[in-house]
Amino acid sequence: MTSQEILKELESYGSQSIKNVLIKHGAKEPFFGVKVGDLKGIQKKIKKNYELSLDLFATGNSDAMYFAGLIADDKKMTKTDLQNWIENAYWYMLSEYTVPWVAAESNFGHELALEWIKSENEQIAACGWSTYSNLIALTDNETLDINEIKSFLKKIESEIHQSQNRVKQTMNAFVIAVGSYIPELTELASAVGNRIGIITVNMGDTACKTPFAPDYIEKVRLRNGIGKKKKTVKC
């Protein structure tokens, strides 16, 4: 299938009610308002396609850009590809989900996470934190840099309340990821979360709230999920 053929199929699945919900969350035109479930149906037919994913992301259509992340052949993605994607990911579903998912499963996840976290651009910095959180969810703990992760917990504790809106959200998610996926740091992450306290993030015209990290980690513990890694972060 070509990118134009897929755009036509995406349009056929478009829903005004879905569009209205996504607009409240910050989505911008152009997009059709396609349910993720419908995207998954198309994904099953295509599976992975590197060139097609690049073409779809370049359309600027949010549905197509999100779908591009689902079919991206992560190991073929170059640093230039990923940098281009984050520079054009114009709202958080792309910058905190699509791009980090692909980056984390690429050959450049750790390198780019460290680079992006330092950015003064809100969407890029948020992408960096989200990319590192996804790496934690995917990577065997034996190969993670535990001391580096501890240093980032300290950084978050001292800086989160002064950070940009979406950066606060992804910093908090990093604390949750550490506590949920690295058993030896669960207690430390929960303690950091308690010292940080409640985080207030502007979620647009929605009732969504940022989770309190220790409570979220405790829910993971109660379902015996601490330390259980993911095979993929895409969803």
Side-chain angles (χ1 to χ4, degrees):
M1 297 179 74
T2 67
S3 60
Q4 291 304 309
E5 288 172 335
I6 289 175
L7 279 173
K8 288 182 180 179
E9 186 165 358
L10 292 176
E11 186 174 12
S12 72
Y13 286 119
S15 162
Q16 188 59 50
S17 62
I18 297 296
K19 284 193 73 170
N20 292 341
V21 170
L22 293 175
I23 286 170
K24 288 183 178 181
H25 282 268
K28 299 176 184 177
E29 297 284 3
F31 72 109
F32 305 122
V34 183
K35 295 179 182 178
V36 172
D38 291 328
L39 295 177
K40 292 281 191 173
I42 308 172
Q43 179 191 9
K44 288 180 181 179
K45 294 186 291 184
I46 298 174
K47 298 182 180 178
K48 291 184 178 182
N49 189 313
Y50 169 69
E51 293 292 346
L52 183 56
S53 71
L54 297 184
D55 290 344
L56 286 167
F57 203 90
T59 65
N61 178 290
S62 180
D63 296 308
M65 295 168 82
Y66 189 95
F67 182 69
L70 296 179
I71 65 166
D73 192 335
D74 312 296
K75 297 302 182 184
K76 290 185 179 180
M77 294 291 286
T78 68
K79 285 180 65 178
T80 300
D81 293 332
L82 293 164
Q83 188 63 39
N84 178 62
W85 277 26
I86 186 51
E87 289 176 1
N88 288 281
Y90 56 85
W91 74 294
Y92 77 85
M93 283 298 292
L94 303 174
S95 58
E96 296 173 28
Y97 295 92
T98 297
V99 181
W101 289 343
V102 177
E105 298 191 25
S106 76
N107 296 317
F108 310 101
H110 183 252
E111 178 182 352
L112 286 173
L114 297 184
E115 180 179 323
W116 289 339
I117 282 170
K118 297 176 184 177
S119 176
E120 294 183 2
N121 180 294
E122 182 177 359
Q123 72 178 28
I124 295 176
C127 183
W129 287 109
S130 187
T131 299
Y132 208 138
S133 294
N134 284 309
L135 284 169
I136 289 170
L138 290 166
T139 308
D140 289 340
N141 292 329
E142 292 77 12
T143 61
L144 290 172
D145 188 335
I146 298 300
N147 287 330
E148 180 179 83
I149 292 169
K150 287 181 178 178
S151 73
F152 276 129
L153 288 176
K154 290 181 180 178
K155 177 180 177 67
I156 290 170
E157 184 176 348
S158 65
E159 297 179 8
I160 190 167
H161 290 290
Q162 294 77 43
S163 295
Q164 295 162 303
N165 190 60
R166 296 305 308 185
V167 177
K168 289 193 291 184
Q169 177 74 2
T170 50
M171 282 180 163
N172 189 69
F174 181 91
V175 176
I176 291 171
V178 173
S180 300
Y181 293 106
I182 309 177
E184 68 179 277
L185 297 182
T186 297
E187 185 176 340
L188 174 61
S190 293
V192 168
N194 274 309
R195 290 194 292 271
I196 288 170
I198 299 295
I199 301 300
T200 301
V201 175
N202 183 348
M203 301 283 195
D205 186 21
T206 74
C208 298
K209 294 182 180 179
T210 301
F212 181 49
D215 286 351
Y216 195 103
I217 294 168
E218 178 62 12
K219 289 179 181 179
V220 175
R221 186 190 68 79
L222 289 174
R223 65 172 185 261
N224 297 316
I226 298 294
K228 293 184 179 179
K229 299 287 185 169
K230 293 184 176 183
K231 293 183 179 179
T232 180
V233 288
K234 296 182 182 183
C235 61

